[in-house]
Amino acid sequence: MRLLLVRHGQSEWNASRRLQGQADIGLSERGRSQADALQSVITGIGHCRAVSSDLRRVSETAQRIGAEKPRFTEDLREIDVGDWTGRPIDDIRAEDEAAYLGWRAGTFVPPGGEDWAPFADRVCAVIEDELRNSCQNLLVVCHGGVIRAILQRYLGLAPACVIPVAPASLSALRMGNGKLPRLELFNYLPDSLEFGAPD
């Protein structure tokens, strides 16, 4: 099975560089355009099933890229950032750079936030459930942290070693067939490269 991992397009809060966590923020105009640009790529690859976070920025992305009847689940929501929800990233970094970098590495929990390990467990429980049913290309429409949790669990890549996942980008993992999971694609965008993606 191949996991086709798509991060949602740019949200209104991505555009203003504010942390979202589980806040239900919609796509920006640019985010809608990004998702629309990815649609032909997803259609060209094809998928047998789709599963998606239930938050608006993701469900709208799923619809725009052509996900067919996705199963929506709160277990694919982004990690909860607690008291950092809605705060500008630059303010958090100015206040405590080490805490911010620790959060990015999965080793620091903002006040009222979610620990990395339980977060990764809930995300990967969805993937494990999907892996039980035969499917060539499983489309997973989700969040950047969710993709990093999947990369950690199946490839052993620590969150600190993974750059931010670009909005409306495609990553792919080849799973099963008696082989170790393999990264086939990361941060693919149909019309540009992205090296400075937002958290």
Side-chain angles (χ1 to χ4, degrees):
M1 179 187 287
R2 177 181 290 116
L3 301 181
L4 301 174
L5 307 172
V6 173
R7 184 186 179 190
H8 62 81
Q10 183 194 70
S11 73
E12 295 289 352
W13 282 12
N14 289 146
S16 59
R17 292 192 45 77
R18 295 166 68 189
L19 280 187
Q20 297 169 112
Q22 295 186 5
D24 199 8
I25 309 304
L27 293 178
S28 66
E29 190 59 43
R30 181 177 182 201
R32 289 187 280 276
S33 296
Q34 290 170 329
D36 292 345
L38 191 60
Q39 189 270 333
S40 63
V41 174
I42 299 302
T43 299
I45 296 170
H47 61 278
C48 46
R49 281 197 317 278
V51 62
S52 171
S53 163
D54 63 343
L55 296 179
R56 281 188 301 153
R57 59 191 182 271
V58 183
S59 60
E60 185 177 354
T61 298
Q63 180 265 322
R64 287 181 170 272
I65 65 172
E68 295 183 18
K69 299 179 181 177
R71 177 171 73 90
F72 294 104
T73 173
E74 63 184 29
D75 289 335
L76 285 181
R77 288 183 180 184
E78 184 59 279
I79 193 167
D80 188 341
V81 295
D83 292 354
W84 286 3
T85 302
R87 292 197 58 201
I89 292 171
D90 291 343
D91 289 359
I92 296 168
R93 296 186 78 158
E95 185 178 287
D96 193 337
E97 177 80 1
Y100 176 79
L101 294 176
W103 170 75
R104 286 282 304 134
T107 59
F108 176 82
V109 182
E114 185 176 12
D115 285 322
W116 179 265
F119 162 66
D121 286 344
R122 73 166 161 84
V123 164
C124 293
V126 174
I127 301 304
E128 289 298 318
D129 185 52
E130 292 292 339
L131 289 174
R132 292 185 183 96
N133 301 306
S134 179
C135 179
Q136 183 174 356
N137 294 318
L138 173 67
L139 179 59
V140 182
V141 191
C142 55
H143 306 265
V146 169
I147 294 172
R148 288 179 16 245
I150 291 169
L151 295 178
Q152 179 193 37
R153 182 63 52 92
Y154 294 108
L155 300 179
L157 293 172
C161 298
V162 180
I163 64 171
V165 181
S169 66
L170 172 63
S171 299
L173 270 68
R174 179 67 64 87
M175 310 289 288
N177 296 328
K179 297 179 181 177
L180 291 173
R182 293 173 290 165
L183 182 64
E184 291 187 311
L185 188 67
F186 182 70
N187 255 4
Y188 171 79
L189 296 167
D191 54 6
S192 64
L193 293 173
E194 175 63 76
F195 292 109
D199 288 315

Short mmCIF file of all heavy atoms in Angstrom, two decimals, residues 75-127:
data_model
loop_
_atom_site.label_atom_id
_atom_site.label_comp_id
_atom_site.label_asym_id
_atom_site.label_seq_id
_atom_site.Cartn_x
_atom_site.Cartn_y
_atom_site.Cartn_z
N ASP A 75 -9.39 12.02 14.98
CA ASP A 75 -8.10 11.44 15.35
C ASP A 75 -6.97 11.86 14.42
O ASP A 75 -5.80 11.64 14.74
CB ASP A 75 -8.19 9.92 15.41
CG ASP A 75 -9.01 9.44 16.61
OD1 ASP A 75 -9.09 10.19 17.61
OD2 ASP A 75 -9.57 8.33 16.55
N LEU A 76 -7.30 12.47 13.29
CA LEU A 76 -6.27 13.02 12.39
C LEU A 76 -6.12 14.53 12.55
O LEU A 76 -5.46 15.18 11.75
CB LEU A 76 -6.57 12.67 10.93
CG LEU A 76 -6.31 11.23 10.52
CD1 LEU A 76 -6.64 11.04 9.04
CD2 LEU A 76 -4.87 10.80 10.79
N ARG A 77 -6.73 15.08 13.62
CA ARG A 77 -6.53 16.51 13.87
C ARG A 77 -5.08 16.79 14.25
O ARG A 77 -4.38 15.93 14.75
CB ARG A 77 -7.44 16.97 15.01
CG ARG A 77 -8.90 17.05 14.64
CD ARG A 77 -9.72 17.58 15.78
NE ARG A 77 -11.13 17.67 15.42
CZ ARG A 77 -12.07 18.17 16.21
NH1 ARG A 77 -11.73 18.63 17.42
NH2 ARG A 77 -13.32 18.22 15.80
N GLU A 78 -4.69 18.05 14.06
CA GLU A 78 -3.35 18.50 14.43
C GLU A 78 -3.16 18.35 15.95
O GLU A 78 -4.12 18.27 16.71
CB GLU A 78 -3.18 19.96 14.01
CG GLU A 78 -1.81 20.56 14.26
CD GLU A 78 -0.69 19.82 13.54
OE1 GLU A 78 -0.25 18.77 14.07
OE2 GLU A 78 -0.25 20.29 12.48
N ILE A 79 -1.90 18.34 16.37
CA ILE A 79 -1.60 18.31 17.80
C ILE A 79 -2.19 19.56 18.45
O ILE A 79 -2.17 20.66 17.87
CB ILE A 79 -0.07 18.21 18.02
CG1 ILE A 79 0.25 17.86 19.47
CG2 ILE A 79 0.66 19.47 17.56
CD1 ILE A 79 1.69 17.43 19.70
N ASP A 80 -2.73 19.40 19.64
CA ASP A 80 -3.31 20.51 20.39
C ASP A 80 -2.17 21.34 20.99
O ASP A 80 -1.33 20.81 21.72
CB ASP A 80 -4.22 19.95 21.49
CG ASP A 80 -5.03 21.02 22.20
OD1 ASP A 80 -4.68 22.21 22.12
OD2 ASP A 80 -6.02 20.66 22.86
N VAL A 81 -2.14 22.64 20.66
CA VAL A 81 -1.05 23.50 21.16
C VAL A 81 -1.47 24.30 22.39
O VAL A 81 -0.75 25.21 22.82
CB VAL A 81 -0.50 24.42 20.05
CG1 VAL A 81 0.16 23.60 18.96
CG2 VAL A 81 -1.57 25.32 19.46
N GLY A 82 -2.61 23.97 22.97
CA GLY A 82 -3.01 24.56 24.25
C GLY A 82 -3.03 26.08 24.23
O GLY A 82 -3.65 26.69 23.36
N ASP A 83 -2.33 26.68 25.20
CA ASP A 83 -2.34 28.14 25.35
C ASP A 83 -1.67 28.87 24.20
O ASP A 83 -1.78 30.09 24.09
CB ASP A 83 -1.66 28.54 26.66
CG ASP A 83 -2.45 28.12 27.90
OD1 ASP A 83 -3.59 27.62 27.74
OD2 ASP A 83 -1.92 28.28 29.02
N TRP A 84 -0.96 28.15 23.36
CA TRP A 84 -0.33 28.77 22.19
C TRP A 84 -1.31 28.92 21.02
O TRP A 84 -0.98 29.56 20.02
CB TRP A 84 0.88 27.97 21.74
CG TRP A 84 2.07 28.10 22.62
CD1 TRP A 84 2.19 28.80 23.78
CD2 TRP A 84 3.37 27.52 22.38
NE1 TRP A 84 3.47 28.69 24.29
CE2 TRP A 84 4.21 27.90 23.45
CE3 TRP A 84 3.88 26.70 21.38
CZ2 TRP A 84 5.54 27.50 23.53
CZ3 TRP A 84 5.21 26.29 21.46
CH2 TRP A 84 6.03 26.69 22.53
N THR A 85 -2.48 28.37 21.12
CA THR A 85 -3.45 28.43 20.03
C THR A 85 -3.75 29.89 19.67
O THR A 85 -4.12 30.69 20.53
CB THR A 85 -4.76 27.72 20.42
OG1 THR A 85 -4.48 26.37 20.75
CG2 THR A 85 -5.77 27.77 19.27
N GLY A 86 -3.56 30.21 18.41
CA GLY A 86 -3.83 31.55 17.91
C GLY A 86 -2.72 32.56 18.10
O GLY A 86 -2.80 33.68 17.60
N ARG A 87 -1.66 32.16 18.79
CA ARG A 87 -0.57 33.11 19.04
C ARG A 87 0.36 33.20 17.84
O ARG A 87 0.65 32.20 17.18
CB ARG A 87 0.25 32.68 20.27
CG ARG A 87 -0.54 32.81 21.58
CD ARG A 87 0.38 32.78 22.76
NE ARG A 87 1.36 33.84 22.71
CZ ARG A 87 2.52 33.83 23.38
NH1 ARG A 87 2.82 32.81 24.17
NH2 ARG A 87 3.36 34.83 23.28
N PRO A 88 0.88 34.40 17.54
CA PRO A 88 1.85 34.54 16.46
C PRO A 88 3.13 33.76 16.79
O PRO A 88 3.64 33.84 17.92
CB PRO A 88 2.12 36.04 16.40
CG PRO A 88 0.90 36.67 17.02
CD PRO A 88 0.46 35.71 18.09
N ILE A 89 3.64 33.05 15.82
CA ILE A 89 4.86 32.26 16.01
C ILE A 89 6.01 33.15 16.42
O ILE A 89 6.80 32.80 17.31
CB ILE A 89 5.19 31.47 14.72
CG1 ILE A 89 4.13 30.39 14.48
CG2 ILE A 89 6.58 30.85 14.79
CD1 ILE A 89 4.23 29.70 13.14
N ASP A 90 6.12 34.32 15.80
CA ASP A 90 7.23 35.22 16.14
C ASP A 90 7.19 35.65 17.60
O ASP A 90 8.23 35.79 18.25
CB ASP A 90 7.22 36.46 15.23
CG ASP A 90 7.58 36.12 13.78
OD1 ASP A 90 8.15 35.03 13.54
OD2 ASP A 90 7.29 36.94 12.90
N ASP A 91 6.00 35.84 18.15
CA ASP A 91 5.87 36.21 19.57
C ASP A 91 6.31 35.06 20.47
O ASP A 91 6.99 35.28 21.49
CB ASP A 91 4.43 36.59 19.90
CG ASP A 91 4.01 37.91 19.30
OD1 ASP A 91 4.84 38.57 18.62
OD2 ASP A 91 2.83 38.29 19.47
N ILE A 92 5.90 33.84 20.13
CA ILE A 92 6.30 32.68 20.92
C ILE A 92 7.81 32.53 20.92
O ILE A 92 8.44 32.31 21.96
CB ILE A 92 5.63 31.40 20.38
CG1 ILE A 92 4.11 31.48 20.54
CG2 ILE A 92 6.17 30.16 21.09
CD1 ILE A 92 3.35 30.40 19.79
N ARG A 93 8.42 32.68 19.74
CA ARG A 93 9.87 32.53 19.63
C ARG A 93 10.61 33.63 20.38
O ARG A 93 11.64 33.37 21.01
CB ARG A 93 10.29 32.51 18.16
CG ARG A 93 9.72 31.32 17.40
CD ARG A 93 10.26 31.23 16.01
NE ARG A 93 11.60 30.68 16.06
CZ ARG A 93 12.20 30.09 15.03
NH1 ARG A 93 11.58 29.98 13.88
NH2 ARG A 93 13.41 29.60 15.15
N ALA A 94 10.10 34.84 20.32
CA ALA A 94 10.74 35.95 21.04
C ALA A 94 10.65 35.74 22.55
O ALA A 94 11.58 36.09 23.29
CB ALA A 94 10.08 37.28 20.65
N GLU A 95 9.56 35.16 22.98
CA GLU A 95 9.34 34.91 24.41
C GLU A 95 10.20 33.76 24.93
O GLU A 95 10.77 33.84 26.02
CB GLU A 95 7.87 34.60 24.62
CG GLU A 95 7.43 34.44 26.04
CD GLU A 95 5.94 34.18 26.10
OE1 GLU A 95 5.16 35.12 25.85
OE2 GLU A 95 5.55 33.03 26.37
N ASP A 96 10.30 32.68 24.14
CA ASP A 96 11.05 31.50 24.59
C ASP A 96 11.42 30.62 23.39
O ASP A 96 10.70 29.69 23.06
CB ASP A 96 10.22 30.70 25.60
CG ASP A 96 11.04 29.65 26.34
OD1 ASP A 96 12.09 29.21 25.81
OD2 ASP A 96 10.62 29.25 27.45
N GLU A 97 12.52 30.97 22.77
CA GLU A 97 12.97 30.23 21.57
C GLU A 97 13.19 28.76 21.85
O GLU A 97 12.83 27.89 21.06
CB GLU A 97 14.26 30.87 21.04
CG GLU A 97 14.88 30.15 19.84
CD GLU A 97 14.21 30.48 18.51
OE1 GLU A 97 13.27 31.29 18.50
OE2 GLU A 97 14.64 29.93 17.49
N ALA A 98 13.76 28.44 23.01
CA ALA A 98 14.03 27.04 23.35
C ALA A 98 12.73 26.24 23.47
O ALA A 98 12.66 25.09 23.03
CB ALA A 98 14.83 26.95 24.65
N ALA A 99 11.70 26.84 24.06
CA ALA A 99 10.42 26.15 24.18
C ALA A 99 9.82 25.90 22.80
O ALA A 99 9.30 24.81 22.53
CB ALA A 99 9.45 26.97 25.04
N TYR A 100 9.89 26.90 21.94
CA TYR A 100 9.34 26.73 20.59
C TYR A 100 10.07 25.62 19.84
O TYR A 100 9.44 24.74 19.23
CB TYR A 100 9.42 28.03 19.80
CG TYR A 100 8.95 27.87 18.38
CD1 TYR A 100 7.59 27.84 18.08
CD2 TYR A 100 9.86 27.70 17.33
CE1 TYR A 100 7.15 27.64 16.78
CE2 TYR A 100 9.42 27.51 16.04
CZ TYR A 100 8.06 27.48 15.77
OH TYR A 100 7.63 27.28 14.47
N LEU A 101 11.41 25.64 19.89
CA LEU A 101 12.18 24.60 19.21
C LEU A 101 11.94 23.23 19.82
O LEU A 101 11.90 22.22 19.12
CB LEU A 101 13.67 24.96 19.23
CG LEU A 101 14.06 26.20 18.43
CD1 LEU A 101 15.55 26.50 18.60
CD2 LEU A 101 13.69 26.06 16.95
N GLY A 102 11.74 23.20 21.14
CA GLY A 102 11.40 21.94 21.80
C GLY A 102 10.05 21.42 21.34
O GLY A 102 9.87 20.21 21.12
N TRP A 103 9.09 22.33 21.16
CA TRP A 103 7.78 21.92 20.66
C TRP A 103 7.91 21.35 19.24
O TRP A 103 7.35 20.30 18.93
CB TRP A 103 6.81 23.11 20.67
CG TRP A 103 5.54 22.80 19.95
CD1 TRP A 103 4.52 22.01 20.40
CD2 TRP A 103 5.18 23.23 18.64
NE1 TRP A 103 3.53 21.93 19.43
CE2 TRP A 103 3.91 22.67 18.35
CE3 TRP A 103 5.80 24.04 17.68
CZ2 TRP A 103 3.26 22.89 17.14
CZ3 TRP A 103 5.15 24.27 16.48
CH2 TRP A 103 3.89 23.69 16.22
N ARG A 104 8.68 22.02 18.40
CA ARG A 104 8.89 21.53 17.02
C ARG A 104 9.55 20.15 17.04
O ARG A 104 9.32 19.34 16.14
CB ARG A 104 9.78 22.50 16.23
CG ARG A 104 9.11 23.77 15.81
CD ARG A 104 8.20 23.65 14.62
NE ARG A 104 8.90 23.11 13.48
CZ ARG A 104 8.45 22.13 12.70
NH1 ARG A 104 7.28 21.59 12.93
NH2 ARG A 104 9.14 21.70 11.68
N ALA A 105 10.39 19.90 18.05
CA ALA A 105 11.09 18.62 18.15
C ALA A 105 10.26 17.54 18.84
O ALA A 105 10.68 16.39 18.93
CB ALA A 105 12.41 18.81 18.91
N GLY A 106 9.09 17.91 19.36
CA GLY A 106 8.25 16.94 20.05
C GLY A 106 8.65 16.68 21.49
O GLY A 106 8.21 15.70 22.09
N THR A 107 9.47 17.57 22.06
CA THR A 107 9.97 17.35 23.42
C THR A 107 9.42 18.36 24.43
O THR A 107 9.69 18.24 25.61
CB THR A 107 11.51 17.42 23.45
OG1 THR A 107 11.94 18.70 22.97
CG2 THR A 107 12.11 16.32 22.57
N PHE A 108 8.68 19.37 23.96
CA PHE A 108 8.11 20.38 24.85
C PHE A 108 6.60 20.47 24.58
O PHE A 108 6.18 20.46 23.42
CB PHE A 108 8.75 21.75 24.62
CG PHE A 108 8.14 22.85 25.46
CD1 PHE A 108 8.52 23.03 26.77
CD2 PHE A 108 7.15 23.66 24.92
CE1 PHE A 108 7.93 24.02 27.55
CE2 PHE A 108 6.56 24.66 25.69
CZ PHE A 108 6.96 24.84 27.01
N VAL A 109 5.83 20.58 25.66
CA VAL A 109 4.38 20.70 25.54
C VAL A 109 3.97 22.09 26.03
O VAL A 109 4.22 22.44 27.19
CB VAL A 109 3.67 19.62 26.38
CG1 VAL A 109 2.15 19.73 26.21
CG2 VAL A 109 4.15 18.23 26.02
N PRO A 110 3.33 22.88 25.17
CA PRO A 110 2.84 24.18 25.64
C PRO A 110 1.81 23.99 26.76
O PRO A 110 1.15 22.94 26.83
CB PRO A 110 2.16 24.77 24.39
CG PRO A 110 2.70 24.01 23.24
CD PRO A 110 3.03 22.64 23.75
N PRO A 111 1.66 24.96 27.64
CA PRO A 111 0.67 24.83 28.71
C PRO A 111 -0.71 24.48 28.13
O PRO A 111 -1.18 25.12 27.19
CB PRO A 111 0.65 26.23 29.35
CG PRO A 111 2.01 26.79 29.04
CD PRO A 111 2.39 26.25 27.69
N GLY A 112 -1.31 23.42 28.67
CA GLY A 112 -2.62 22.98 28.20
C GLY A 112 -2.59 22.22 26.90
O GLY A 112 -3.65 21.85 26.37
N GLY A 113 -1.39 21.95 26.37
CA GLY A 113 -1.27 21.28 25.08
C GLY A 113 -1.20 19.77 25.20
O GLY A 113 -1.35 19.19 26.28
N GLU A 114 -0.94 19.15 24.07
CA GLU A 114 -0.94 17.69 23.95
C GLU A 114 0.49 17.17 23.85
O GLU A 114 1.30 17.72 23.10
CB GLU A 114 -1.74 17.32 22.69
CG GLU A 114 -1.97 15.86 22.44
CD GLU A 114 -2.86 15.63 21.22
OE1 GLU A 114 -3.11 16.58 20.43
OE2 GLU A 114 -3.29 14.48 21.05
N ASP A 115 0.79 16.11 24.59
CA ASP A 115 2.10 15.47 24.49
C ASP A 115 2.27 14.82 23.12
O ASP A 115 1.31 14.30 22.54
CB ASP A 115 2.26 14.37 25.56
CG ASP A 115 2.50 14.94 26.94
OD1 ASP A 115 3.22 15.94 27.06
OD2 ASP A 115 1.95 14.37 27.90
N TRP A 116 3.52 14.81 22.63
CA TRP A 116 3.79 14.26 21.30
C TRP A 116 3.46 12.77 21.20
O TRP A 116 2.83 12.35 20.23
CB TRP A 116 5.26 14.51 20.92
CG TRP A 116 5.57 13.94 19.57
CD1 TRP A 116 6.11 12.72 19.29
CD2 TRP A 116 5.31 14.55 18.31
NE1 TRP A 116 6.20 12.53 17.93
CE2 TRP A 116 5.72 13.65 17.31
CE3 TRP A 116 4.76 15.78 17.92
CZ2 TRP A 116 5.62 13.93 15.94
CZ3 TRP A 116 4.66 16.07 16.56
CH2 TRP A 116 5.09 15.16 15.60
N ALA A 117 3.87 11.97 22.17
CA ALA A 117 3.69 10.51 22.05
C ALA A 117 2.22 10.11 21.95
O ALA A 117 1.86 9.34 21.05
CB ALA A 117 4.38 9.78 23.20
N PRO A 118 1.33 10.61 22.82
CA PRO A 118 -0.09 10.26 22.65
C PRO A 118 -0.68 10.78 21.33
O PRO A 118 -1.54 10.14 20.74
CB PRO A 118 -0.78 10.91 23.85
CG PRO A 118 0.29 11.11 24.86
CD PRO A 118 1.55 11.34 24.07
N PHE A 119 -0.21 11.95 20.91
CA PHE A 119 -0.63 12.49 19.61
C PHE A 119 -0.26 11.53 18.49
O PHE A 119 -1.09 11.15 17.66
CB PHE A 119 0.01 13.86 19.40
CG PHE A 119 0.02 14.34 17.97
CD1 PHE A 119 -1.17 14.63 17.31
CD2 PHE A 119 1.23 14.51 17.30
CE1 PHE A 119 -1.15 15.09 16.00
CE2 PHE A 119 1.24 14.96 15.99
CZ PHE A 119 0.05 15.25 15.33
N ALA A 120 1.01 11.10 18.47
CA ALA A 120 1.47 10.17 17.42
C ALA A 120 0.71 8.86 17.51
O ALA A 120 0.37 8.25 16.47
CB ALA A 120 2.97 9.95 17.55
N ASP A 121 0.40 8.41 18.72
CA ASP A 121 -0.36 7.16 18.89
C ASP A 121 -1.75 7.27 18.27
O ASP A 121 -2.20 6.35 17.57
CB ASP A 121 -0.51 6.81 20.37
CG ASP A 121 0.78 6.28 20.99
OD1 ASP A 121 1.70 5.90 20.23
OD2 ASP A 121 0.86 6.25 22.23
N ARG A 122 -2.46 8.38 18.51
CA ARG A 122 -3.82 8.50 17.96
C ARG A 122 -3.80 8.62 16.44
O ARG A 122 -4.64 8.04 15.76
CB ARG A 122 -4.60 9.64 18.62
CG ARG A 122 -4.21 11.04 18.25
CD ARG A 122 -5.29 12.03 18.73
NE ARG A 122 -4.82 13.39 18.80
CZ ARG A 122 -4.79 14.23 17.76
NH1 ARG A 122 -5.18 13.84 16.56
NH2 ARG A 122 -4.37 15.48 17.94
N VAL A 123 -2.82 9.33 15.92
CA VAL A 123 -2.68 9.45 14.46
C VAL A 123 -2.40 8.09 13.84
O VAL A 123 -3.07 7.67 12.88
CB VAL A 123 -1.54 10.44 14.11
CG1 VAL A 123 -1.11 10.31 12.66
CG2 VAL A 123 -1.97 11.87 14.42
N CYS A 124 -1.43 7.39 14.38
CA CYS A 124 -1.01 6.13 13.76
C CYS A 124 -2.01 5.00 13.99
O CYS A 124 -2.04 4.04 13.21
CB CYS A 124 0.39 5.76 14.22
SG CYS A 124 1.62 6.95 13.56
N ALA A 125 -2.88 5.14 14.98
CA ALA A 125 -3.96 4.16 15.14
C ALA A 125 -4.90 4.22 13.94
O ALA A 125 -5.41 3.19 13.48
CB ALA A 125 -4.72 4.43 16.44
N VAL A 126 -5.13 5.43 13.40
CA VAL A 126 -5.95 5.57 12.20
C VAL A 126 -5.27 4.87 11.02
O VAL A 126 -5.90 4.13 10.27
CB VAL A 126 -6.19 7.06 11.86
CG1 VAL A 126 -6.93 7.21 10.52
CG2 VAL A 126 -6.96 7.74 12.98
N ILE A 127 -3.96 5.11 10.88
CA ILE A 127 -3.22 4.50 9.77
C ILE A 127 -3.22 2.98 9.90
O ILE A 127 -3.46 2.25 8.92
CB ILE A 127 -1.79 5.05 9.71
CG1 ILE A 127 -1.79 6.58 9.53
CG2 ILE A 127 -1.00 4.37 8.58
CD1 ILE A 127 -2.55 7.09 8.33
#
